[in-house]
Amino acid sequence: MSTPDFRSRTFLVDHVRQTLAFYHPRCIDPDGGFFHFFRDDGTVYDTRTRHLVSSTRFVVNFAMAWHHLGERRWRDALEHGVAFLRAAHRDPRTGGYAWVLSWEHGTGTPIDATNHCYGLAFVVLAYAHALMAGMAEARAHLEEAIALLDGRFWEPAAGLYADEASPDWSVLDPYRGQNANMHACEAMLAAWQATRDARFLDRAETLARNITVRQAALTGDLVWEHYHADWSVDWDYNRHDRSNIFRPWGYQPGHLAEWAKLLLILERDLERHRPAAWLLSRAVALFDAAVTRGWDAEHGGMVYGFGPDGAVCDDDKYFWVQAETLAAAALLGARTGDPAYWTRYDRLWAYCWEHFVDHRHGAWYRILTRDNRKYSDEKSPAGKVDYHTIGACWEVLNVLP
């Protein structure tokens, strides 16, 4: 198998197209929304379950495809996805978005109607990308979703968002997490890019500083995942539960790299408004910690997590960790001019090309063992849809000549 030029614009655009081709058009449910669960060969193994994270990430994928590639089929898929968010996930009585639905023959029943800040952040991200792609009606949806996010989850004293509320919004869970705030930062950056409203850029900067500087100062200057209601560190949350993909225990190299990427995007967008030298220094520190602790020198690739003592606590290889790390490496290489970051980028892409990319059917495998064996043939369960891999390619394209 030949190794392509991973810094080639042609390669990256072709890889986006090939990844999209795995999902489209087989993901389209003519009765509404998208199918979310795919085996390696593209077979749909659950036609009913609809997860808010997948529903929104499909919208982001197709919005970016329409925005960058300009083919009508991507606009059609985008409109199809936004319509499902509005008609199926959104509860017009509460304004909230159901976390999980059962959907059959055009009728949806909530399985889990819990309101998650993480999910609502992706709703904001989806509408922002739809607006950037030229969907004018998404502007009102975006404003509505941000008003809901701020009205229900924002905690001014902490300068961060709470995490979870009951379906009727009457009970706010005491758990606090960095992951929802990281994706809220991503969403606010997209809202800024779609509207040029400085409110959203300011909010992104506040979230970034409070997580990667203030909260990180409590945990060795790295980003810990879990906190109590007063934003004190919860060192034990999910310590013995590896099944919760949205709230994993330990330091996450993938999140350290993802924050590095977001800090560099924030620095770029703030450039004309005000200096923020801390953004680059924190991006470098978080990325360097991610690869120092996370790179598997024996088998290649980035592991999933390490504990407060620095020892690896989860040596599985997840697709999104690799994608976020190679994107951050490219952005750091372009920003600093240091060729070591591009070397890291090439090395990680080569690893992914060998082990994660499915060269027969398309898209990426979701999870591998430490020595790079698949656990199952479930390529895309809830939440995947290759949003991270497609997004990484677009981010790298943004910094290539």
Side-chain angles (χ1 to χ4, degrees):
M1 180 175 59
S2 61
T3 301
D5 177 3
F6 300 118
R7 304 186 206 180
S8 160
R9 298 187 65 86
T10 299
F11 162 76
L12 290 166
V13 173
D14 286 349
H15 188 65
V16 168
R17 289 184 179 277
Q18 291 159 9
T19 305
L20 288 168
F22 173 81
Y23 293 101
H24 188 277
R26 64 165 60 98
C27 69
I28 303 289
D29 181 352
D31 289 328
F34 308 106
F35 300 118
H36 292 183
F37 295 80
F38 303 90
R39 299 198 184 280
D40 284 342
D41 63 0
T43 302
V44 177
Y45 65 90
D46 179 342
T47 61
R48 297 182 180 181
T49 307
R50 306 297 165 87
H51 200 294
L52 181 60
V53 176
S54 286
S55 292
T56 50
R57 287 177 173 181
F58 265 128
V59 169
V60 173
N61 285 350
F62 294 133
M64 289 192 292
W66 168 246
H67 183 69
H68 292 288
L69 302 176
E71 297 163 17
R72 179 70 200 195
R73 56 179 171 158
W74 305 129
R75 183 176 178 87
D76 292 343
L78 164 63
E79 292 173 345
H80 185 76
V82 169
F84 190 77
L85 287 179
R86 305 296 299 173
H89 278 286
R90 184 176 179 273
D91 184 339
R93 298 168 302 167
T94 67
Y97 287 75
W99 185 240
V100 185
L101 294 170
S102 177
W103 181 261
E104 189 174 16
H105 304 309
T107 301
T109 303
I111 297 173
D112 182 352
T114 305
N115 289 294
H116 287 271
C117 178
Y118 184 99
L120 194 50
F122 273 101
V123 171
V124 171
L125 186 73
Y127 292 149
H129 277 282
L131 181 57
M132 277 190 276
M135 189 176 185
E137 59 267 38
R139 182 178 296 274
H141 304 334
L142 175 63
E143 292 285 357
E144 173 195 76
I146 290 175
L148 183 66
L149 181 67
D150 286 353
R152 295 296 186 176
F153 285 121
W154 182 246
E155 298 186 314
L160 292 168
Y161 290 104
D163 214 274
E164 179 181 326
S166 59
D168 65 357
W169 298 104
S170 64
V171 178
L172 194 64
D173 192 271
Y175 172 82
R176 300 291 182 269
Q178 82 80 23
N179 197 10
N181 283 278
M182 181 184 73
H183 284 292
C185 179
E186 174 190 29
M188 290 298 169
L189 283 169
W192 149 253
Q193 291 159 6
T195 66
R196 295 299 163 178
D197 187 328
R199 289 180 298 152
F200 307 138
L201 186 61
D202 292 342
R203 177 56 54 85
E205 183 182 17
T206 296
L207 293 167
R209 184 186 292 275
N210 287 345
I211 290 291
T212 69
V213 179
R214 188 192 71 201
Q215 293 302 123
L218 305 176
T219 56
D221 279 335
L222 298 180
V223 176
W224 189 253
E225 296 293 316
H226 311 299
Y227 300 86
H228 300 289
D230 63 356
W231 282 96
S232 60
V233 181
D234 188 341
W235 292 107
D236 294 319
Y237 188 89
N238 277 350
R239 180 187 286 269
H240 303 294
D241 180 8
R242 289 177 58 170
S243 65
N244 194 318
I245 62 172
F246 299 112
R247 297 179 182 178
W249 183 79
Y251 293 112
Q252 301 295 302
H255 284 162
L256 299 178
E258 196 165 0
W259 265 119
K261 180 194 77 173
L262 291 173
L263 293 177
L264 293 170
I265 295 170
L266 177 59
E267 183 198 41
R268 178 197 67 201
D269 288 357
L270 276 173
E271 184 178 7
R272 296 180 181 179
H273 297 268
R274 53 186 174 273
W278 66 273
L279 289 163
L280 177 59
S281 61
R282 287 306 288 150
V284 168
L286 294 176
F287 180 85
D288 288 352
V291 297
T292 298
R293 297 291 189 184
W295 178 257
D296 183 346
E298 182 179 359
H299 298 287
M302 298 286 292
V303 301
Y304 194 50
F306 62 93
D309 61 356
V312 172
C313 61
D314 190 336
D315 60 12
D316 284 342
K317 310 291 174 60
Y318 281 74
F319 82 104
W320 70 266
V321 177
Q322 324 307 317
E324 292 296 337
T325 306
L326 68 86
L331 268 63
L332 278 165
R335 172 63 178 84
T336 67
D338 185 345
Y341 291 114
W342 285 111
T343 299
R344 177 72 65 180
Y345 167 86
D346 289 334
R347 183 188 305 167
L348 190 50
W349 243 123
Y351 164 80
C352 295
W353 192 248
E354 180 178 357
H355 297 291
F356 267 100
V357 177
D358 184 343
H359 297 282
R360 179 181 180 186
H361 298 294
W364 290 37
Y365 303 122
R366 174 178 171 260
I367 179 175
L368 306 176
T369 62
R370 186 192 171 200
D371 58 355
N372 303 313
R373 291 174 290 111
K374 289 193 301 175
Y375 278 101
S376 75
D377 68 348
E378 295 179 1
K379 178 173 284 172
S380 187
K384 181 174 180 281
V385 308
D386 277 76
Y387 139 87
H388 286 280
T389 56
I390 291 170
C393 289
W394 291 127
E395 290 295 351
V396 177
L397 282 161
N398 284 337
V399 300
L400 286 176

